[in-house]
Amino acid sequence: MSAHTDIDAIHGDGHEHEHDDGIGHVSLKGYAIGFVLAVILTAIPFWLVMSGGFKNSSTTALVVLGFAAVQIVVHMIYFLHMNTKSEGGWNMLALIFTAVLVLITLSGSIWVMYHLNHNMMPAMMHDMQNLP
Amino acid sequence: MSAVAHESLQFHLETEHHPQNGTLLGFWLYLMSDCLIFACMFAVYGVLGRSYAGGPTGAELFELPLVALNTSLLLLSSITYGFAMLEMHRNRQRATLIWLAMTGLLGAGFIGIELYEFTHLIADGAGPQRSAFLSSFFTLVGTHGLHVSCGIIWLITLMVQVSKKGLIAENKRRLWCLSMFWHFLDVVWIGVFSFVYLMGVLP
């Protein structure tokens, strides 16, 4: 931290590259739009589940997940200021790469483990029955 | 042919015009790697979330009104941090510090409610050792809470730095990094309340 303080002392004043350091493009309007959208997108799934939801609970689960996905995009755009141009597009590239990895990790784990659970039990029973 | 060469030269100059120090991109890459950690925990919860081992289920344990309160606290702290960033851009140090303090208090409230929830669960015999469901639940939600706690410590550190040195470029950069961290934690919380709490109480 002391090294940083030295840098602060040197660069503290007359640092005129603020428009170049990637900081910018924040506006009250953007935050307000993001906040209102986030409140709506949070309230609807909570209300849906707390009031009992649809008859078919997997429909409710899908709707909840859909609202979550939309809200994540809203937060990314209005709060994290994601766009295709920041840092020369490298932000977006890293985000897309991460999203792909997250998707593979989540869906792959759940898919594989679900089938493992399904297939393992009867097979083991079957083996046990065949034991001498 | 010359037009193409000219365009490529233009493009080259454009990129040269962005000599940003790599902090913000590097911090973004850190956030993405953190995202992968959370993805692994979400995957574990997705696999084990219904393995109750004869113990209590999510429908019996989760109190949605409390979760709704927690969610609104974190969402409010996101918007107050946004206001702090707006004041930072206007170079108003005092207003920035006030909004940062509000953000910290809302974050502390979030952590307080989460600790209250955890102690109640453990006192009711639904601690992390009860079932695979509860182990993965405590790991996922606890890691998120740990991140928010670290964010609050970072926030206090930055408030001290801003009040001592003012809104210099370095402090602005740090505040910007923390803003990304804070909003990122709110994004993770969307996944937690949707995937763990709301889907956990469904039959």
Side-chain angles (χ1 to χ4, degrees):
Chain A
M1 226 42 202
S2 65
H4 271 285
T5 322
D6 292 343
I7 295 168
D8 286 354
I10 294 164
H11 289 282
D13 300 39
H15 195 75
E16 287 171 354
H17 298 290
E18 263 181 299
H19 58 283
D20 264 347
D21 57 9
I23 297 174
H25 326 297
V26 296
S27 67
L28 178 62
K29 198 180 152 205
Y31 278 116
I33 293 173
F35 184 69
V36 170
L37 284 177
V39 167
I40 294 169
L41 291 168
T42 307
I44 292 175
F46 265 98
W47 166 80
L48 181 66
V49 172
M50 286 165 96
S51 65
F54 297 111
K55 279 207 177 80
N56 188 354
S57 65
S58 41
T59 315
T60 317
L62 278 179
V63 171
V64 167
L65 280 184
F67 272 102
V70 174
Q71 198 185 346
I72 286 174
V73 173
V74 166
H75 276 238
M76 284 282 171
I77 293 172
Y78 289 104
F79 290 160
L80 282 162
H81 311 291
M82 270 311 291
N83 58 54
T84 50
K85 290 183 201 72
S86 60
E87 303 279 354
W90 287 103
N91 272 348
M92 186 53 90
L93 199 65
L95 179 66
I96 292 169
F97 178 59
T98 311
V100 169
L101 285 186
V102 167
L103 212 66
I104 293 172
T105 313
L106 275 176
S107 57
S109 303
I110 292 168
W111 182 45
V112 168
M113 293 309 285
Y114 174 78
H115 284 278
L116 205 64
N117 276 342
H118 238 242
N119 296 332
M120 213 54 186
M121 289 311 190
M124 279 168 69
M125 297 289 196
H126 187 70
D127 287 346
M128 298 235 274
Q129 279 167 1
N130 288 344
L131 284 176
Chain B
M1 202 58 200
S2 68
V4 174
H6 184 65
E7 254 176 50
S8 66
L9 185 67
Q10 279 277 18
F11 176 73
H12 185 64
L13 284 174
E14 282 287 316
T15 50
E16 284 288 292
H17 188 247
H18 280 277
Q20 306 155 349
N21 66 38
T23 309
L24 294 178
L25 177 59
F27 195 76
W28 181 254
L29 292 181
Y30 154 69
L31 286 183
M32 291 299 100
S33 66
D34 218 13
C35 194
L36 291 181
I37 293 178
F38 278 110
C40 293
M41 288 176 184
F42 272 111
V44 170
Y45 182 84
V47 170
L48 300 174
R50 301 265 164 177
S51 309
Y52 302 120
T57 65
E60 292 161 12
L61 291 176
F62 297 151
E63 291 174 46
L64 284 190
L66 207 61
V67 181
L69 179 63
N70 237 354
T71 306
S72 40
L73 281 183
L74 207 59
L75 198 54
L76 277 175
S77 81
S78 255
I79 190 74
T80 52
Y81 203 110
F83 289 148
M85 295 301 286
L86 291 172
E87 295 297 343
M88 183 194 87
H89 268 262
R90 293 189 198 121
N91 284 315
R92 301 217 297 234
Q93 184 176 334
R94 211 180 125 73
T96 308
L97 284 173
I98 289 171
W99 283 116
L100 285 178
M102 294 270 289
T103 309
L105 286 177
L106 288 166
F110 172 85
I111 291 295
I113 291 176
E114 195 163 285
L115 285 178
Y116 166 83
E117 185 196 12
F118 279 9
T119 48
H120 263 246
L121 285 177
I122 293 169
D124 290 348
Q129 69 273 43
R130 181 60 191 85
S131 62
F133 151 64
L134 282 165
S135 304
S136 53
F137 165 80
F138 273 95
T139 311
L140 173 57
V141 183
T143 307
H144 179 268
L146 199 64
H147 274 76
V148 176
S149 309
C150 293
I152 294 171
I153 295 171
W154 187 5
L155 186 87
I156 294 168
T157 315
L158 277 187
M159 282 174 70
V160 172
Q161 280 190 317
V162 168
S163 54
K164 285 205 165 166
K165 292 188 180 294
L167 287 171
I168 56 176
E170 282 75 12
N171 277 342
K172 284 188 177 180
R173 197 183 65 224
R174 290 165 191 156
L175 283 171
W176 189 262
C177 282
L178 180 58
S179 104
M180 290 203 289
F181 186 70
W182 200 261
H183 293 312
F184 167 75
L185 290 181
D186 205 8
V187 170
V188 174
W189 184 253
I190 298 171
V192 172
F193 80 70
S194 302
F195 195 61
V196 176
Y197 287 103
L198 290 183
M199 283 171 69
V201 300
L202 294 175

